[in-house]
Amino acid sequence: MPDMTKTATTPEDPTSAAEPVEAVKTEKARSLWGDAWIDLRRNWYFLISAVLILLLLVITAFPSWFTSASPTAGDLVHHFLSKPELGKVGSDGWLGYDGQGRSVYARVIYGTRASVIVGLGVTLLVTVFGGLIGMLAGYFGGWIDAVLSGFTNVFLGVPFLLGSMVVLQAFTERSILVVVMALAFLGWTQIARVMRGAVITVKQADFVQAARALGAGTNRILFRHILPNVMAPVIVVATISLGVYISAEATLSYLGLGLASPTVSWGMDISDGASQIRVAQHILLYPSIMLSLTVLAFIMLGEAVRNALDPKTR
């Protein structure tokens, strides 16, 4: 006889039959700088230049870590010695010696400090001063723009290197600070023009107009809303120009119008090596290589930063 009892069934849970709902993961919007940093980490130009610049900064800060020899102390026994015999000459002479018996290697290491400090110092000054001039001219416009742009054009008409030579002629003692001020005196014009153009474009943006409508003051609009949005092209120009300022310092020192002894400079060593190029090529060769690598590192960094900050290249 069949079992007539029915098995009690529980009502099916509607949530158990429904397909699992996948959580929607919203990716956090990245800023221009976030996208640029991701691009930079994949750019071998940036990686190589960053390693070189980091090494240069370490040498600048701690030159004694790389050599124990004095860059100014010489021994005429090593006069123009280019291939020291192992065991007779210390390890600091492996690049040879100059006409006064000074270690070329030690002078290359200590010369890094002067070049890097000059480059960074000039870049900082021209970025602050030129950026301020360009920002004021671009934001206010009118007669303020006319006056500041005319002022910029006057300095822009003076050849940078020739003008620096004339300025430095007025000083009998040319220290690092004097060279920095002389180069910054004429080097701020490009930053000012770039900043002015960027500010003119950004000040028409909706967020600037909204901030002005809400009663934000001029300082707040300039430094909280406009400045963060115009720094990208300024940083690119400043980074590339840093290498130019280092080469300008070396050129002035080569001509005898830049840094003077006892400061160690690649430009002075290149000048000494050029006068002895037939008998001691190593004096000219190694400072020139170091100068070229330094300028190349900052130019490569500027190119990488420019490509990362330019949306058109993505």
Side-chain angles (χ1 to χ4, degrees), residues 10 25 44 58 74 110 158 177 194 220 228 270 286-287 295 297 314:
T10 57
K25 297 181 179 180
W44 65 272
V58 173
Y110 278 89
V158 180
L177 179 60
V194 171
R220 183 178 179 84
I270 293 173
Y286 298 114
V295 175
R314 298 179 188 154

Side-chain angles (χ1 to χ4, degrees), residues 122-146:
V122 176
T123 302
L124 179 62
L125 288 179
V126 300
T127 302
V128 173
F129 182 74
L132 182 61
I133 293 294
M135 186 165 60
L136 295 177
Y139 180 77
F140 289 106
W143 67 270
I144 296 180
D145 184 20

Side-chain angles (χ1 to χ4, degrees), residues 250-298:
T251 302
L252 292 171
S253 298
Y254 176 86
L255 297 173
L257 296 172
L259 298 175
S261 297
T263 305
V264 182
S265 169
W266 291 334
M268 289 189 295
D269 289 347
I270 293 173
S271 178
D272 294 339
S275 62
Q276 304 292 337
I277 191 170
R278 293 187 177 182
V279 296
Q281 295 81 9
H282 63 283
I283 303 177
L284 171 66
L285 179 62
Y286 298 114
S288 300
I289 292 176
M290 196 67 174
L291 175 63
S292 300
L293 288 176
T294 302
V295 175
L296 178 63
F298 284 105

Side-chain angles (χ1 to χ4, degrees), residues 164-172 174 257:
S164 301
M165 294 168 59
V166 173
V167 172
L168 287 171
Q169 285 277 20
F171 296 90
T172 56
R174 293 182 290 272
L257 296 172

Side-chain angles (χ1 to χ4, degrees), residues 24 59 78 83 147 212 217 268:
V24 179
I59 294 175
H78 304 146
K83 296 179 180 179
V147 171
R212 186 179 292 112
M268 289 189 295

